[in-house]
């Protein structure tokens, strides 16, 4: 993006990263120092990452407000998520952040694969299962990126994805372990999954394949508008309708309970008020807890 002089806004959501090869516009580390989260909540590394993400998600509306002010100046919004896939993909904060971004902009997931590590059939299948889980969890179009093409060609794993499953199956049969048998059984199931993906090979070090990546992102963004956004809108409408129905049922029950109480609704209201006052006077003072305090607002370094 920098080499093409494409205006980009970058968010870093990895609180544990020590150094970055780029300068993020908004950095979770500025609001939530990773070691402070560990010390405050007595957590290990993964727990601290998850907690930091959860706390940051409570202020993500401020992040989107900052981005919205600058959206006329930028072409791409890049969100760099933690390397621990589970900490983001399978957490409430990850779902909140993905849904918040996708509700405003065409969102695309880039699943980056270390190509040299993916040349073994077992590792390849494992990576594809991970990618499959991310796709169905986020419900967003995905581009699979085979990185480090300057080190080793991605021709072999891409061939396994585009129909040459017989060769992959032959290689997996050489694995006599239970894991190898499981991988063989997954190959056929994954064929349908591959149809939903755009696949590119590139090198982050040399920039080779960047044009193909941009083309794949543009294609996935169009797919988002025509397929994924429609499905997300349908799910959102169903959730809103169910919530509205639940509220109406609760209100009906409340009115019915009030009318059944001695003295009618007015007497019931007085009784409840009196009970509330009595319970408040005898309430215990809550114990103090140490907390990691977020800044009052997120500050855009560009302002």
């Amino acid at each position: 993006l920098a080499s093409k002089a494409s205006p980009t806004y970058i968010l870093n959501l990895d609180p544990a990263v020590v150094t970055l090869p780029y300068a993020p516009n908004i950095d979770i580390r500025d609001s939530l120092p990773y070691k402070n989260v560990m010390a405050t909540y007595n957590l290990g590394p993964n727990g601290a990452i998850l907690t930091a993400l959860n706390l940051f998600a409570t202020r993500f509306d401020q992040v989107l407000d900052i981005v919205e002010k600058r959206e006329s100046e930028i072409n791409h919004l890049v969100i760099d998520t933690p390397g621990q896939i589970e900490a983001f993909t399978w957490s409430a904060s990850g779902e909140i952040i993905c849904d918040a971004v996708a509700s405003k902009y065409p969102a695309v997931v880039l699943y980056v694969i270390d190509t040299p590590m993916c040349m073994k059939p077992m590792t390849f299948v494992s990576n594809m299962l991970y990618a499959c889980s991310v796709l169905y969890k986020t419900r967003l179009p995905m581009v699979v990126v085979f990185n480090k093409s300057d080190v080793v060609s991605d021709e072999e794993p891409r061939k396994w994805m585009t129909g040459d499953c017989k060769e992959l199956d032959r290689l997996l049969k050489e694995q006599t372990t239970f894991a190898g048998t499981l991988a063989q059984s997954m190959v056929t199931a994954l064929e349908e999954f591959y149809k939903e993906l755009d696949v590119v090979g590139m090198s982050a070090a040399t920039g080779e394949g960047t044009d193909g990546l941009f083309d794949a992102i543009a294609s996935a963004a169009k797919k988002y508008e025509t397929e994924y956004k429609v499905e997300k809108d349908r799910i959102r409408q169903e959730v809103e309708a169910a919530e509205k129905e639940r509220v109406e049922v609760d209100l009906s029950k409340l009115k019915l309970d009030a009318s059944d109480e001695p003295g009618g609704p007015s007497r019931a209201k007085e009784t409840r008020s009196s009970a509330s006052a009595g319970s408040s006077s005898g309430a215990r003072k809550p114990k103090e807890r140490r907390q990691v305090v977020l800044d009052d607002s997120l500050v855009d370094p560009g302002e």
Side-chain angles (χ1 to χ4, degrees):
L1 290 169
S3 64
K4 290 183 171 294
S6 178
T8 306
Y9 207 81
I10 305 177
L11 276 62
N12 171 48
L13 294 185
D14 189 345
V17 67
V18 178
T19 58
L20 291 170
Y22 58 85
N25 298 92
I26 294 178
D27 195 335
I28 190 174
R29 298 175 299 174
D30 295 335
S31 300
L32 292 159
Y34 175 65
K35 291 185 179 180
N36 287 6
V37 176
M38 289 182 68
T40 301
Y41 293 99
N42 297 319
L43 298 170
N46 286 344
I49 291 173
L50 186 58
T51 300
L53 283 169
N54 289 341
L55 292 169
F56 193 77
T58 64
R59 296 292 183 88
F60 201 72
D61 59 321
Q62 294 182 24
V63 175
L64 290 181
D65 288 342
I66 293 172
V67 173
E68 189 173 4
K69 292 176 183 177
R70 295 180 173 273
E71 64 182 16
S72 61
E73 307 169 10
I74 59 178
N75 292 340
H76 297 92
L77 170 64
V78 178
I79 302 178
D80 191 2
T81 62
Q84 292 86 343
I85 295 176
E86 300 87 350
F88 183 81
T89 305
W90 296 101
S91 67
S93 55
E95 184 174 359
I96 289 169
I97 291 170
C98 285
D99 288 347
V101 173
S103 67
K104 286 198 171 187
Y105 307 104
V108 176
V109 176
L110 298 184
Y111 185 81
V112 183
I113 294 175
D114 187 330
T115 307
M117 296 294 293
C118 203
M119 300 306 292
K120 295 180 180 179
M122 287 288 293
T123 310
F124 169 79
V125 174
S126 297
N127 264 294
M128 291 301 102
L129 289 174
Y130 255 129
C132 183
S133 69
V134 172
L135 175 68
Y136 286 105
K137 177 62 176 176
T138 60
R139 299 188 301 275
L140 292 171
M142 175 183 286
V143 177
V144 172
V145 183
F146 285 100
N147 192 23
K148 300 184 181 180
S149 60
D150 57 315
V151 177
V152 61
S153 172
D154 62 310
E155 180 180 353
E156 191 72 9
R158 290 185 70 171
K159 185 170 65 175
W160 292 339
M161 295 179 67
T162 55
D164 193 5
C165 292
K166 291 182 179 179
E167 175 63 14
L168 178 61
D169 189 57
R170 182 187 67 78
L171 293 171
L172 288 172
K173 283 181 179 178
E174 296 176 2
Q175 305 288 331
T176 57
T177 62
F178 171 76
T181 304
L182 177 62
Q184 291 178 50
S185 66
M186 296 302 300
V187 169
T188 304
L190 286 170
E191 285 185 31
E192 194 67 26
F193 164 65
Y194 298 148
K195 297 177 183 178
E196 300 294 324
L197 303 177
D198 291 299
V199 184
V200 297
M202 68 166 295
S203 168
T206 66
E208 177 189 354
T210 304
D211 291 337
L213 175 62
F214 285 138
D215 291 342
I217 291 174
S219 173
K222 291 180 181 178
K223 191 184 296 184
Y224 168 85
E225 294 287 358
T226 57
E227 299 177 21
Y228 288 80
K229 187 174 184 297
V230 174
E231 179 64 12
K232 278 187 170 291
D233 288 343
R234 182 189 66 79
I235 294 173
R236 178 178 53 79
Q237 290 170 4
E238 288 180 356
V239 171
E240 289 177 351
E243 178 64 14
K244 183 178 179 181
E245 183 179 354
R246 185 190 66 79
V247 170
E248 290 176 352
V249 170
D250 288 347
L251 285 174
S252 299
K253 289 181 179 179
L254 182 61
K255 290 178 181 178
L256 183 62
D257 290 344
S259 63
D260 288 343
E261 291 186 22
S266 299
R267 179 59 183 167
K269 183 177 180 181
E270 291 174 7
T271 303
R272 284 194 297 270
S273 298
S274 176
S276 275
S279 61
S280 297
S281 61
R284 293 183 179 179
K285 184 178 180 181
K287 294 181 180 180
E288 293 185 358
R289 279 188 67 181
R290 294 179 298 168
Q291 293 184 351
V292 173
V293 180
L294 285 164
D295 296 339
D296 289 338
S297 61
L298 294 166
V299 179
D300 179 5
E303 293 184 341

